[in-house]
Amino acid sequence: MVVEIGAGMHLTLDDIIKTSRNYEEVRVGNNALDAMKRSRMVLENLIHGNVRIYGVNTGLGDLYNVTVNPEDVAKYSLDMLIDHSMGVGDYAPDDWVRATMLVRAHQLSLGYSGIRSIIVERLVDFLNMRITPLVPKYGSVGASGDLAPLAHIALALLGKGFVRYQGRVMPSIEALKSIGLSELSLSYKEALSLINGTSYSAAVASLGIWDSYRLLKAALAVMALMIETSRANMASLSIEANSAKLHSGEIEVAKIMSELLSDSKNVNTSGRVQDPYSIRCIPQVLGSVLDALIWVLRNVLNEVNSVSDNPIIVNSAVFSTCHFHGQYVALSTDLLNVSLAVLGNLIERQIAQLLRREINGINNYLANGPWRVGLMLAQYTAAALAARLRELSTPSTVQNIPTSGFQEDINSMSANSAIKLHDVNSIITQLIAALAYVTYSVINANNSCSTCGKVTTRIYKTISKYVVNVQSHHDAITKLMSSIDELSGIITLKINP
C-alpha cells in the first residue's frame, strides 16, 4: 500500500503511523505536482513584478523591513539553515523524524508555498530510502514554525549534517551518494518554506495521540477485570442510565464495560449499594478522556492537512499570515496531557481501593504477617507516578516567551507540549501495568476468575502470560508494560475525528 500526499489528499493518523513506524511507501500525487507548479509560477511572476514578499526579497523575523535581492536569498539559503539549526538535547526517535518529514512534505505539496516539486520529492526520497536525519529534540517555540528541528532536517536534504541509514550514523552526503542522489541546491523561498511550519509539533503530537489511544483501550481492558475483582455494582455502568447524559464518550465507555462484563458472575456480589468513585464513575472519567482524545485528534489532523508556511500563495496573490503558529497543536496536546493525568489519578485510586479489605474481601494490602506489607508499595509507586503526571500536565501554551525582539511576541510552545505527551504516555503505561498486576494478584488470592466473563477471562489470561514465574514486583510490572498492545487489541473502540 502507498501513502499518497499533496493537494486533494487527506493524511489520516493511520497513514502517519504506517509511514513513520512501518516504513510504508510514500508518493506525491499528480494533483500535488500541478498545484506546486502553479504556485511556483505565481511566485516568480510576483518577484519579477517587484512585489515585496517576506523572506523572498526581505530579511527574516525582526529584519522584515530590510530589502534583499531574491537571488541573494537563494545564494545564502545554506547559511540561513545553519543559523537556524540550533536544536539541543537527545536526538528525536526515528519515527518522530519520519513523521515530521511526511507531514512537511504533505503540507508543502498542498500548493500554497511556491516551491519547486523537487524539494518535496527529496523529502519523499528520504522516507522511501529510509534515510533519517539526526534531529535534536528541543529548540522549537512552536511559532515561526518549528524552526530548529526543521532546519536540521533541511540541512540533511542538502547533504549537510548527519543521518541514520542502514543502521549506521553517517554524514548525509555519504548516504546521498550511496543511493545516487546529488546535493540539492535551493532557490528563493525554499529554505524558508522547509522550516516555517508546524510539522514537527504536529507529527510528534500525532504519534503521541496514537499511543494514547492504545493506552486508553488497554486501560479499559484492565479496568474491566478490576471491576470483576472488586465485585462491583454494575448499576453505574448501565447503558440505560448513562444515556440519560448527553456525553458520547461516557455512553461509549458504559457500552464497552457493560458488554465486557455481561456474563460475569462476580459483579453485583459485594453487597455494596454504591462503590467508591474510582470504580463507580469510570464512564464519566474515562468518557471525558475519550471525548478529549477525539477533539485533540481532530485539531491535530486539521493542522497536518493544512498549509503551514508563511507567506502563502492563494490564487494569484501572496499573503503574509500566521499559518506557522502551533497554537491549535499546543492547546490540543495540553488538554490531552491533562486528560491523561486524570486517567493516572483514577488508576492510582483504583490500586488503593483494591488494596482495602472492604474492596478485595481478603485483607489490607494482601499482607501476610506483621512484618510483611504485601502490595502496599504498589500504591506508593502509583502515587509517585500520578504526582509526576501532575507536573507534566502543567500547560505549555501559557508559558509564552517572546522571541525576535517585539515581532514574534506570542509563541505557542507546541513542540514542548507534544514532547511531554510521550513522557505522559510512558507513565500511563507504567500505571496500567501496576493496576494489571494488583488486579491479577487480588483475583488470584480470591481464586475468583473461574467465574469471570468470557472476555475478562481472556484479559486475565493475557496478564497471566506476562507474569508467570516472575521473581519480583518490579519484574512483573516491567513485563506487563509489554502487554499494552495485546490488551488494547481486546477492546473495540473507534475514534473518528
Side-chain angles (χ1 to χ4, degrees), residues 118-163:
I118 191 174
I119 306 301
V120 172
E121 288 165 350
R122 177 57 58 92
L123 282 164
V124 170
D125 285 337
F126 268 50
L127 286 167
N128 290 338
M129 298 294 182
R130 304 188 183 188
I131 302 173
T132 306
L134 297 188
V135 179
K137 271 188 185 180
Y138 299 103
S140 172
V141 297
S144 261
D146 296 310
L147 294 173
L150 292 179
H152 285 278
I153 291 175
L155 284 172
L157 301 179
L158 305 184
K160 312 300 179 184
F162 288 85
V163 299

Side-chain angles (χ1 to χ4, degrees), residues 51-64:
V51 176
R52 290 195 60 180
I53 304 172
Y54 172 79
V56 176
N57 49 22
T58 75
L60 301 177
D62 197 30
L63 304 176
Y64 66 95

Side-chain angles (χ1 to χ4, degrees), residues 254-456:
K255 179 184 175 191
I256 289 170
M257 286 297 186
S258 295
E259 290 175 352
L260 291 174
L261 296 160
S262 62
D263 56 348
S264 167
K265 294 182 174 60
N266 292 322
V267 297
N268 297 323
T269 64
S270 69
R272 297 185 298 271
V273 176
Q274 290 196 144
D275 290 298
Y277 284 1
S278 57
I279 298 172
R280 188 179 2 142
C281 301
I282 287 174
Q284 290 76 17
V285 179
L286 284 193
S288 67
V289 175
L290 173 58
D291 281 340
L293 178 68
I294 293 170
W295 184 82
V296 168
L297 176 60
R298 180 174 68 247
N299 284 342
V300 171
L301 284 183
N302 280 344
E303 188 67 30
V304 164
N305 287 289
S306 297
V307 56
S308 187
D309 197 357
N310 182 60
I312 64 168
I313 294 164
V314 181
N315 298 322
S316 59
V318 62
F319 295 83
S320 281
T321 69
C322 211
H323 287 351
F324 50 65
H325 205 285
Q327 193 66 53
Y328 272 98
V329 176
L331 272 175
S332 300
T333 46
D334 276 352
L335 174 61
L336 188 50
N337 287 332
V338 170
S339 301
L340 291 170
V342 170
L343 172 58
N345 287 337
L346 178 67
I347 293 172
E348 182 276 326
R349 286 293 82 204
Q350 290 172 344
I351 289 171
Q353 292 292 350
L354 283 175
L355 297 176
R356 294 174 58 210
R357 178 178 57 81
E358 294 86 349
I359 301 298
N360 65 39
I362 308 168
N363 56 33
N364 290 331
Y365 312 117
L366 301 188
N368 183 16
W371 291 101
R372 302 296 302 275
V373 297
L375 293 178
M376 180 190 290
L377 269 292
Q379 189 269 327
Y380 284 49
T381 297
L385 294 174
R388 179 61 180 147
L389 284 176
R390 295 175 192 182
E391 296 167 5
L392 289 169
S393 64
T394 300
S396 295
T397 194
V398 299
Q399 315 293 338
N400 175 58
I401 298 175
T403 53
S404 193
F406 290 99
Q407 183 70 5
E408 299 171 2
D409 55 347
I410 294 290
N411 291 312
S412 75
M413 302 300 167
S414 55
N416 285 351
S417 184
I419 291 168
K420 280 196 303 181
L421 175 56
H422 290 264
D423 297 332
V424 167
N425 282 336
S426 178
I427 292 174
I428 292 294
T429 301
Q430 295 165 349
L431 280 166
I432 293 172
L435 178 61
Y437 180 52
V438 171
T439 300
Y440 176 82
S441 300
V442 172
I443 206 165
N444 269 359
N446 272 322
N447 194 28
S448 56
C449 212
S450 58
T451 50
C452 287
K454 181 178 179 181
V455 181
T456 43

